[in-house]
Amino acid sequence: PGSDLKVTGLDFLKSQNCRLHHTDAYNISNLVVRRGQPFQLQLTFSRELQAPDKLSLRFGIGENPMRSRGTLMSLNPRREEDLSRWQISIVKSSGKECLLSVTSSPMAPVGKYILNVKTGNNIYKPENGEVYLLFNPWCEDDVVFMADEAQRKEYVLNDTGYIYVGSAYSIYNRPWNFGQFEEFVLDACMYLLDKSKLKLSNRRDPMFVSRAMSALVNANDDNGVLLGNWSGNYNKGTSPLDWIGSVSILQKYYKTKQPVLYGQCWVFAGVLTTVMRCLGIPSRCVSNFNSAHDTEENLRVDIYLNELGEKLNGMSLDSVWNFHVWNDVWMKRTDLPAGFDGWQAIDSTPQEQSQGIFQCGPCPLKAIREGDVYLPFDSKFVYAEVNADKVYWVVKKIQPKLPLFQFEPITPCPVATVPDEESLSSIQVYPLPIFFLHPGSEEERKSMQKASSFIHPSGIVPRARFASSLPMGHVDPNPTVLQETVTKSGLQLEITSKAALYPGNPLELAIIVKTSTPGSWTINLASSCQLQSYTGKVEASLGHVKETVKLEGKSEVQVPLNIAADTYMKTLASVEDEVLIHITAIAEVQGTDDKLTKETTMSFEYPPITVQMPETAKLNKEFTCAFIFKNKLNVPLDNCKLLVEGLGIFKMSMFDQGDVMPGRIIKSEIICTPTRLGEKKIVAKLTSNQVKGISTEKAITIVE
């Protein structure tokens, strides 16, 4: 060779590589590839490549890449296979050009690699020389491998979806833009990986990565992405109800490196789904209704009611959230005994500390289903969320002047905590029927016995915050948990609403009391209606009814519970959270031990937002999208804001609409220019002082 061999150019062949690696949607100028899969690079030299020429490609990760630590891969296309399981070969060499194929190890640490090329003593540093390496669910040797293409599309590539919220009795979906491909989101995830201080060797493993991210998505103890706030006061930041996706949250965090204000469980779960999908770990949001938060880890949740059936706010350290949203991530568990691969629960909502940090998971769903609560990580906490026993206590004052209380356990009517599959049939929701056990079923009791055997046995006594410090009248040590119906009278309770629950209309509720056994029964019924936030916190007591009803044999009676609009509208306008209507009924049959409680939670109903736009639009060609809302309620909606976002079409925008009187129609328009092909979704959300949760979405197909 005459002159020194120099590299004069390097083409990352971005469009073909990214298409093959399913990374073409990332909005970034660098090459993004997945591990364990070949990609090609085109080198241009100062002269033709010859046999004696020395050539090596060097991929380095971390602050100080070193071969001995496995953080610097030096690949020589003419040498035998590298020990690091990375591979490189010359596909073809002609004239001054050389096409190379590089395959990273399917166990390589995930992150940003700096690439440079060494020829002899010359080192060439290409422009945009940082290559982003992600987990690869398409590669059979990667522990996140997912065999089903439809599932990979859904859990890795889909950037929009729904998060299910509400209560077990009225479930509805909130559209959510995950937006893992949007500008700066991948960089924000790389910043979080660096911030996690994970050893580079642990960055190979989705178990360590997902656990670290569950800690970093909340701001507790590490200045992570989102600060949780359940206080009802959000004036220093954005109300958790005002987010419609993860993009603006992650972009803001990446720009300021400070926690974004504020999150609640579905926001944490939405952002964690974005981070996981962005890094290539299949992920989904999971909603659990009647989600128990068991502080003592004894797999039991105590609920305290007064004699009217009103829930007492400050008494229990445990709580039952109407819903709680966490995440599942998909991986093989190489650290556990066989049989625990597949979906793992992780949770970024800061509830309890795990190993001293607010993080939760990954915990195999199989362990939760079967009660294996000794497994790492946090299986006991997650098991209790889906499967704790609820024990209701009626707190009665024994003597009016003295602080003496009697705690009487009562039997709850059976409820199933899982919606049936039909109501949730869509690819967004894979029902998990085997995962949720039917309360009272044989499998559920077996799993509960197994789980309880790993936990200190304890007799049942009430654990009210003040129960231990007060003289107690009488505590029945063995309340029964979950009976189908009560024995003597065959007493049953049902709670219904007779008219649509529109804000501004009276709430017309009814309690149906039934008996099914021959005889004359006198029943004392107490029922109350309260407004509560989704965490179960009581915001206002609206009214109650106390009646004695007489029934003969198999019969039923309806007891009305009506609440005028002005008793609750003030609360609706003063509370910044979306509230649910919570009704509790307690019935006691005179002359027997028959006692029963029933509770249900209902959501308000709202008028819809209509979206007007064409069904298809052309790439880079403008079209108009209109949002129309008519206030069909008979109350004004104050301080209305309309938030809209369409990934790959337009950036998040907000329209201030002021106060919208009854009957008034508002219309906002946005000019859109689509930048990506395929089906895209537009999400719109309306918030006001009185009504928080009106949202809608509409799809449009973008064509060439």
Side-chain angles (χ1 to χ4, degrees):
S3 57
D4 255 7
L5 179 73
K6 288 197 176 84
V7 177
T8 57
L10 191 162
D11 185 345
F12 284 101
L13 305 174
K14 197 168 164 250
S15 63
Q16 76 173 52
N17 284 328
C18 289
R19 199 174 57 251
L20 293 168
H21 283 250
H22 307 93
T23 57
D24 41 346
Y26 286 98
N27 185 354
I28 194 164
S29 47
N30 300 57
L31 178 63
V32 183
V33 288
R34 298 184 189 275
R35 63 186 192 174
Q37 183 177 335
F39 59 93
Q40 295 191 338
L41 299 171
Q42 175 93 37
L43 284 174
T44 313
F45 297 113
S46 54
R47 58 169 173 75
E48 199 168 335
L49 185 64
Q50 291 164 5
D53 288 327
K54 284 196 168 72
L55 166 68
S56 63
L57 266 65
R58 302 197 303 181
F59 290 89
I61 186 171
E63 299 265 301
N64 188 9
M66 282 157 75
R67 289 186 72 159
S68 57
R69 286 200 197 135
T71 55
L72 178 66
M73 272 49 69
S74 185
L75 309 176
N76 180 335
R78 299 188 173 146
R79 218 178 38 229
E80 288 306 296
E81 189 179 317
D82 193 83
L83 295 173
S84 64
R85 289 193 64 184
W86 286 61
Q87 295 165 24
I88 184 166
S89 61
I90 295 178
V91 181
K92 65 169 197 235
S93 181
S94 61
K96 294 180 179 176
E97 292 195 335
C98 178
L99 184 64
L100 295 171
S101 170
V102 180
T103 309
S104 61
S105 159
M107 285 142 41
V110 163
K112 282 199 282 197
Y113 285 78
I114 306 275
L115 169 65
N116 55 51
V117 186
K118 193 172 182 203
T119 52
N121 296 321
N122 301 311
I123 290 180
Y124 175 78
K125 295 182 175 167
E127 201 185 339
N128 289 337
E130 288 182 311
V131 176
Y132 291 67
L133 189 67
L134 308 180
F135 288 102
N136 193 351
W138 283 263
C139 167
E140 287 190 31
D141 293 331
D142 194 317
V143 285
V144 300
F145 173 65
M146 197 170 225
D148 183 327
E149 174 61 18
Q151 291 198 356
R152 292 190 295 242
K153 269 205 170 106
E154 179 61 31
Y155 297 131
V156 186
L157 299 180
N158 194 355
D159 58 358
T160 62
Y162 303 104
I163 297 178
Y164 284 82
V165 296
S167 74
Y169 317 95
S170 58
I171 293 173
Y172 58 99
N173 56 28
R174 272 193 190 135
W176 190 266
N177 282 339
F178 298 116
Q180 65 268 37
F181 304 116
E182 301 306 301
E183 197 176 16
F184 302 123
V185 171
L186 181 55
D187 280 319
C189 294
M190 292 296 160
Y191 170 73
L192 288 172
L193 270 180
D194 288 341
K195 199 170 160 49
S196 72
K197 304 267 194 301
L198 275 179
K199 294 203 298 251
L200 279 162
S201 57
N202 286 348
R203 281 205 199 183
R204 306 166 187 277
D205 190 337
M207 188 268 290
F208 286 112
V209 170
S210 60
R211 185 160 173 80
M213 293 302 141
S214 85
L216 276 162
V217 164
N218 67 66
N220 299 45
D221 45 47
D222 50 21
N223 238 16
V225 179
L226 268 166
L227 187 63
N229 183 344
W230 286 266
S231 71
N233 175 1
Y234 311 117
N235 53 18
K236 291 200 173 75
T238 302
S239 158
L241 283 154
D242 288 0
W243 304 111
I244 50 181
S246 313
V247 181
S248 47
I249 296 170
L250 284 163
Q251 287 175 339
K252 187 171 183 181
Y253 179 70
Y254 184 60
K255 194 172 154 189
T256 64
K257 309 287 192 283
Q258 287 303 311
V260 177
L261 317 181
Y262 293 104
Q264 285 177 8
C265 71
W266 68 92
V267 191
F268 288 111
V271 171
L272 190 52
T273 296
T274 303
V275 171
M276 292 291 100
R277 288 185 184 179
C278 186
L279 293 173
I281 300 175
S283 176
R284 62 188 182 191
C285 291
V286 174
S287 300
N288 177 35
F289 295 90
N290 286 341
S291 185
H293 183 163
D294 171 21
T295 51
E296 317 241 320
E297 294 199 339
N298 63 354
L299 302 185
R300 210 186 73 235
V301 170
D302 295 299
I303 293 159
Y304 298 93
L305 310 170
N306 66 14
E307 293 178 63
L308 297 171
E310 290 174 340
K311 199 159 79 170
L312 300 169
N313 240 354
M315 276 193 78
S316 181
L317 290 161
D318 292 342
S319 57
V320 176
W321 294 20
N322 281 293
F323 67 90
H324 178 47
V325 190
W326 65 75
N327 300 77
D328 284 346
V329 282
W330 177 270
M331 65 186 74
K332 285 195 182 69
R333 283 301 288 270
T334 50
D335 58 319
L336 293 184
F340 291 105
D341 295 341
W343 290 112
Q344 317 283 323
I346 58 174
D347 192 342
S348 54
T349 299
Q351 298 185 80
E352 297 281 314
Q353 288 187 337
S354 169
Q355 297 179 331
I357 295 175
F358 282 99
Q359 58 188 353
C360 179
C363 165
L365 293 203
K366 182 177 187 283
I368 304 165
R369 195 161 58 235
E370 296 177 5
D372 291 309
V373 296
Y374 57 89
L375 282 172
F377 291 91
D378 312 303
S379 53
K380 218 186 287 182
F381 185 76
V382 182
Y383 181 87
E385 289 189 293
V386 297
N387 218 43
D389 282 329
K390 264 197 213 180
V391 179
Y392 291 79
W393 302 87
V394 175
V395 181
K396 296 184 172 177
K397 245 189 150 158
I398 297 176
Q399 285 158 320
K401 301 244 165 73
L402 292 170
L404 247 167
F405 291 89
Q406 179 176 337
F407 289 79
E408 288 187 11
I410 41 178
T411 312
C413 280
V415 290
T417 44
V418 66
D420 61 348
E421 290 187 41
E422 287 67 63
S423 64
L424 298 181
S425 56
S426 107
I427 187 160
Q428 299 293 345
V429 183
Y430 274 81
L432 313 174
I434 35 177
F435 174 51
F436 294 92
L437 301 158
H438 238 42
S441 71
E442 204 181 327
E443 290 96 3
E444 189 258 0
R445 288 293 101 194
K446 259 197 213 132
S447 139
M448 190 65 161
Q449 276 159 2
K450 185 171 177 184
S452 303
S453 70
F454 297 114
I455 290 164
H456 306 302
S458 63
I460 292 201
V461 290
R463 299 177 295 148
R465 253 174 212 186
F466 58 73
S468 53
S469 61
L470 284 175
M472 290 222 275
H474 155 77
V475 172
D476 174 346
N478 300 311
T480 49
V481 178
L482 277 178
Q483 278 176 309
E484 278 300 308
T485 50
V486 181
T487 42
K488 279 201 174 140
S489 55
L491 176 65
Q492 283 181 307
L493 295 172
E494 279 173 30
I495 301 169
T496 60
S497 64
K498 294 172 154 175
L501 301 169
Y502 288 117
N505 290 7
L507 308 179
E508 297 176 35
L509 309 163
I511 291 73
I512 301 167
V513 186
K514 295 181 182 177
T515 50
S516 60
T517 317
S520 297
W521 308 109
T522 305
I523 297 148
N524 301 340
L525 175 75
S527 178
S528 70
C529 178
Q530 296 174 303
L531 287 183
Q532 62 176 33
S533 69
Y534 88 97
T535 60
K537 179 174 156 235
V538 177
E539 300 289 356
S541 289
L542 303 183
H544 62 267
V545 55
K546 249 188 128 142
E547 264 190 43
T548 303
V549 296
K550 291 190 163 60
L551 287 175
E552 292 284 334
K554 188 174 179 180
S555 56
E556 62 176 72
V557 64
Q558 276 205 16
V559 178
L561 172 56
N562 291 327
I563 284 141
D566 48 4
T567 34
Y568 69 82
M569 282 311 294
K570 272 202 182 67
T571 308
L572 275 196
S574 66
V575 176
E576 288 197 43
D577 295 304
E578 189 171 9
V579 290
L580 299 151
I581 303 158
H582 186 77
I583 305 108
T584 310
I586 303 175
E588 300 187 26
V589 183
Q590 290 181 13
T592 72
D593 293 336
D594 289 5
K595 278 191 216 124
L596 199 58
T597 167
K598 173 90 179 180
E599 55 172 355
T600 191
T601 310
M602 300 174 178
S603 310
F604 282 105
E605 295 171 47
Y606 309 122
I609 303 170
T610 315
V611 183
Q612 287 181 347
M613 62 178 179
E615 282 181 19
T616 60
K618 282 199 156 69
L619 193 66
N620 301 320
K621 291 271 193 310
E622 284 186 358
F623 68 92
T624 305
C625 181
F627 302 92
I628 298 157
F629 173 78
K630 179 178 184 181
N631 183 4
K632 293 180 181 165
L633 305 175
N634 57 26
V635 285
L637 296 178
D638 305 330
N639 187 21
C640 281
K641 292 185 173 61
L642 179 73
L643 302 147
V644 295
E645 183 177 42
L647 301 180
I649 299 175
F650 58 85
K651 282 200 164 57
M652 177 129 137
S653 315
M654 191 189 82
F655 298 95
D656 232 322
Q657 303 286 5
D659 301 348
V660 179
M661 299 320 267
R664 196 179 132 214
I665 295 173
I666 53 175
K667 183 174 180 181
S668 307
E669 287 191 339
I670 195 158
I671 307 285
C672 316
T673 311
T675 55
R676 291 208 293 266
L677 292 168
E679 188 185 84
K680 299 289 160 222
K681 278 187 190 152
I682 286 174
V683 173
K685 178 163 210 166
L686 186 87
T687 65
S688 68
N689 292 2
Q690 289 80 2
V691 169
K692 312 292 188 289
I694 307 179
S695 60
T696 189
E697 45 134 53
K698 194 163 179 181
I700 181 167
T701 307
I702 311 301
V703 296
E704 295 270 2

